[in-house]
Structure formats: structure tokens, C-alpha cells
Amino acid sequence: MKILVVGGAGYIGSHMVKHLLDTGRRVVVVDNFSTGHRDAVRAADLLELDIADANAVAELFETHSIDAVMHFASFIQVGESMTQPAKYYANNLAATLCLLEAMVKAGVSKFIFSSTAAVYGDPDYVPIDESHPKRPINPYGRSKWMLEQILEDFDRAYGLKSVSLRYFNAAGADPDGELGERHEPETHLLPLILQAASGRRPSITVFGRDYDTPDGTCIRDYIHVTDLVDAHDLALKYLDSAGASAAFNLGNGQGYSVDEVIEAARKVTGRSIETVDAPRREGDPARLVAESSTAKSVLGWQPQFSDINTIVAHAWGWERQYPWRR
Ligand code: UFG
């Protein structure tokens, strides 16, 4: 079996590639390096390519006999998607459509898609299950939801089978310490907290203390990157055993507030971490927590690193390697 990993030099993609290689699978990695890092990929077949380039993608499928595609390549900043929607629709939607068309032409019929909790928008209820209404409130979430709907059409028309994995808050790092989160600029809570702990930034800004939550700060469901990787592997096995196209939430089902994550980081790192209060960040729902029982019952998924202290500890192991080894 040969798997094409698109966006394999990024945060979650690079952890996936490592896992696939460690478990003896053959892997072709594609990345345009707009945000990914070359040194995060050990795969022999690493191609610099933009999936919007239809000819290059067609050639790729001609050269390599691909059995399944895992697609991690997308822009992920909610705020940026509000000011630059074209960038998000061009890459997350149009370029991905190009990839899907090439798959259909090449007869590749298994696709695993990195989707997001942002497809739900402001939740009517938590924990959020997969049948919760989809009302994304920003172009990022909309681009992912549109793509999920395209996947339904591609199944009906072309028999392309897909699993969309709706990540909640991806966090943590490779337990072996080889890989971790390296966004530029970094916008995610946990890496920013740990940069404050290591002294790379003076403090962590808390966006809003007036939410309807016990301590007033936003609650999120943090899920370890290794657990996300495991879910992809199980999704691949599911499609291999003729599973129907489906979408699954991936979260721990337990929410932590911004203050609780900061407190966990103080405990794990032993460092004092200074906070600065700021107004709410636009578009942040008060509480996002996943109901992930479908992934557990259908895929057999069981998160191994659900403890927030473990998630923080692995991310801290990575932050302490800064500037990261080349
Ligand atoms: N936060 C701060 N200070 C910071 C950064 C974040 O207080 O410096 C807060 C945010 O307001 C939010 C929480 O920490 O309440 C988590 O914020 P992140 O930016 O880490 O993550 P988000 O929940 O905004 O977004 C994540 C993914 C998105 C995805 C979304 C789904 O990064 O790609 O979950 O809801 F769309």
C-alpha cells in the first residue's frame, strides 16, 4: 500500500508521515512549503508541488501507484480567513478540488480529509456531535464544510470514498521529541503559553474573561496530535475494509479553559507564566467540546494522551528544543 500525504511537512502531516513510515507503509509526501518544514520529513519521496498545479498532480498519480490520499494541506488561521477569504477558498477549496479531480482520473478512491470543529460555528449545544447543524461563521470553516459537501457529491457520482475528520483543538507534540508544532506566526494557545514559559515571549495574552464559563475564559477540547494520527490510521483501515464515506469528530470530550491550560503549563514546566488580559478575540465561541463516541464505536479509536498534563508535557519537550534541531 502506498499513501500520498499532502501537506506532510506541516504540523499534523509530519507526525502522520512519521507514524506511517514507522509502521512500514510506503509514503509519498507532497508539500508546497508555504508553511511546512523540509526538515520535518524523513520520507524518501518528498515532492515540492502545489496541488493547484493540475498537470503536476496528474503526473504524480501517473508516476506513483497511490492507494489512498491523506490531505493535511490547508491554511488554518480563522482571523486571517476573515480578511483574506480568497486565499482560503483558493487553497482549501479550489486546490483541493483539483486534487480530487486528479484522484478520480487516476482511479484512486480513498481520501482522508482534515476537517475541523469550525464547520459547526457557534454551537447550539455541547458536547457537539456530528449531526449538530453546520453553520460555520468564518471562511476557514466554510471552506472545510464546502469541501465536505463536495466529497458527498464525489462519492455519489464517482464512488470516491472519504473520511472527514473534524479535529477540535490539535495540540501536543511527538512523544519521542522529534516533531512538534512550528507555525509562523504562531497563533495557537498552547505553543504561545509555552513560549512565555521558555522566555521567548514575555507573557500570554488571555482573550476575554467575560465568557459564560466557570472562570470566564474560553473552553476548548484539546486533542493530542498522536491521537489524531491514530484516528487517520484507523480511518484508512476503515476505508480499506469497504467502510462508507463518513465524518467523525475528534476530541477528548473534556473541555479546559484558557486559565486551566495556563495553570497546567505552570505545573508541568515549573515556570511562572505571566498573563495579560485583553478583550475577546472576534469569532471565539465560549465553549467547544466534542462528542467523539462515533469515532470510537465505528473506527475503534481510543485517545491515549487525553490528560492535559501529558499534552502540555510533550509540547514543552518540543519547545525546550528551540531553535529546533535541523
Ligand atoms: N487564546 C488566548 N490567547 C492566545 C491565543 C488563544 O486566550 O494568545 C484563546 C482563544 O481565544 C481560544 C483558545 O485560546 O479561546 C484557543 O485558541 P486557539 O487559537 O489555540 O484555537 P481555536 O480554538 O481558535 O482554533 C482551533 C484551530 C482552528 C479551528 C478551531 C475549531 O486552531 O483551526 O480550533 O474551532 F478552526
Side-chain angles (χ1 to χ4, degrees), residues 16-71:
M16 187 77 233
V17 170
K18 179 182 173 189
H19 169 83
L20 290 170
L21 293 173
D22 286 350
T23 50
R25 262 74 73 86
R26 291 188 301 155
V27 178
V28 179
V29 177
V30 158
D31 208 294
N32 67 2
F33 298 108
S34 60
T35 58
H37 304 273
R38 246 169 238 282
D39 58 279
V41 185
R42 282 192 275 125
D45 280 320
L46 170 60
L47 309 174
E48 180 166 357
L49 185 157
D50 197 310
I51 51 166
D53 182 344
N55 291 333
V57 176
E59 196 184 316
L60 162 72
F61 282 112
E62 276 162 28
T63 316
H64 297 272
S65 171
I66 301 291
D67 299 288
V69 176
M70 292 185 175
H71 182 40

Side-chain angles (χ1 to χ4, degrees), residues 7 31-36 50-51 71-81 84-93 95-96 113-116 118 138-144 183-185 187-188:
D31 208 294
N32 67 2
F33 298 108
S34 60
T35 58
D50 197 310
I51 51 166
H71 182 40
F72 296 91
S74 71
F75 293 127
I76 57 163
Q77 289 181 41
V78 170
E80 184 186 62
S81 80
Q84 298 181 52
K87 176 175 172 181
Y88 281 71
Y89 290 120
N91 183 58
N92 297 7
L93 197 61
T96 304
F113 177 55
S114 298
S115 189
T116 170
N138 49 62
Y140 167 69
R142 268 193 286 280
S143 71
K144 294 285 184 173
H183 294 119
E184 192 52 57
T187 61
H188 292 117

Side-chain angles (χ1 to χ4, degrees), residues 4-324:
L4 173 64
V5 181
V6 182
Y11 170 40
I12 303 167
S14 62
H15 287 76
M16 187 77 233
V17 170
K18 179 182 173 189
H19 169 83
L20 290 170
L21 293 173
D22 286 350
T23 50
R25 262 74 73 86
R26 291 188 301 155
V27 178
V28 179
V29 177
V30 158
D31 208 294
N32 67 2
F33 298 108
S34 60
T35 58
H37 304 273
R38 246 169 238 282
D39 58 279
V41 185
R42 282 192 275 125
D45 280 320
L46 170 60
L47 309 174
E48 180 166 357
L49 185 157
D50 197 310
I51 51 166
D53 182 344
N55 291 333
V57 176
E59 196 184 316
L60 162 72
F61 282 112
E62 276 162 28
T63 316
H64 297 272
S65 171
I66 301 291
D67 299 288
V69 176
M70 292 185 175
H71 182 40
F72 296 91
S74 71
F75 293 127
I76 57 163
Q77 289 181 41
V78 170
E80 184 186 62
S81 80
M82 303 285 282
T83 54
Q84 298 181 52
K87 176 175 172 181
Y88 281 71
Y89 290 120
N91 183 58
N92 297 7
L93 197 61
T96 304
L97 184 57
C98 213
L99 172 68
L100 293 174
E101 280 190 85
M103 285 179 63
V104 170
K105 280 190 196 132
V108 181
S109 62
K110 291 174 203 146
F111 187 69
I112 301 177
F113 177 55
S114 298
S115 189
T116 170
V119 299
Y120 298 111
D122 266 324
D124 293 342
Y125 56 86
V126 286
I128 302 168
D129 55 25
E130 286 85 355
S131 57
H132 184 287
K134 319 304 180 289
R135 288 186 308 251
I137 54 170
N138 49 62
Y140 167 69
R142 268 193 286 280
S143 71
K144 294 285 184 173
W145 175 231
M146 287 177 192
L147 208 280
E148 282 200 29
Q149 292 170 288
I150 288 173
L151 288 173
E152 287 178 23
D153 291 335
F154 268 53
D155 187 357
R156 266 189 297 271
Y158 311 122
L160 187 136
K161 300 295 170 195
S162 67
V163 172
S164 295
L165 297 173
R166 297 177 187 150
Y167 311 160
F168 279 62
N169 286 63
D174 172 26
D176 300 336
E178 286 175 21
L179 299 167
E181 196 165 0
R182 259 198 282 179
H183 294 119
E184 192 52 57
E186 189 54 76
T187 61
H188 292 117
L189 180 67
L190 181 55
L192 289 174
I193 293 173
L194 296 177
Q195 288 178 17
S198 69
R200 275 213 283 155
R201 60 178 63 232
S203 57
I204 178 73
T205 305
V206 177
F207 294 135
R209 291 199 166 275
D210 55 351
Y211 285 97
D212 184 17
T213 59
D215 65 20
T217 64
C218 281
I219 292 178
R220 293 289 181 274
D221 186 337
Y222 296 89
I223 178 77
H224 197 293
V225 61
T226 300
D227 290 325
L228 294 180
V229 163
D230 284 348
H232 283 74
D233 196 335
L234 291 164
L236 190 61
K237 289 175 180 140
Y238 167 83
L239 289 180
D240 275 340
S241 52
S245 293
F248 301 103
N249 285 344
L250 297 180
N252 281 308
Q254 173 152 18
Y256 291 95
S257 72
V258 170
D259 269 352
E260 285 173 329
V261 179
I262 295 169
E263 209 36 59
R266 288 192 179 115
K267 200 171 106 191
V268 167
T269 65
R271 310 276 174 99
S272 59
I273 299 168
E274 222 174 284
T275 62
V276 172
D277 292 345
R280 291 182 178 198
R281 194 174 66 175
E282 203 191 332
D284 274 341
R287 198 187 288 256
L288 287 174
V289 179
E291 164 59 72
S292 300
S293 55
T294 320
K296 289 177 185 160
S297 61
V298 176
L299 300 180
W301 183 58
Q302 194 52 56
Q304 304 170 54
F305 300 115
S306 50
D307 177 19
I308 190 70
N309 295 315
T310 309
I311 292 174
V312 172
H314 290 165
W316 180 233
W318 175 245
E319 170 61 23
R320 292 188 77 175
Q321 293 183 42
Y322 178 82
W324 296 289

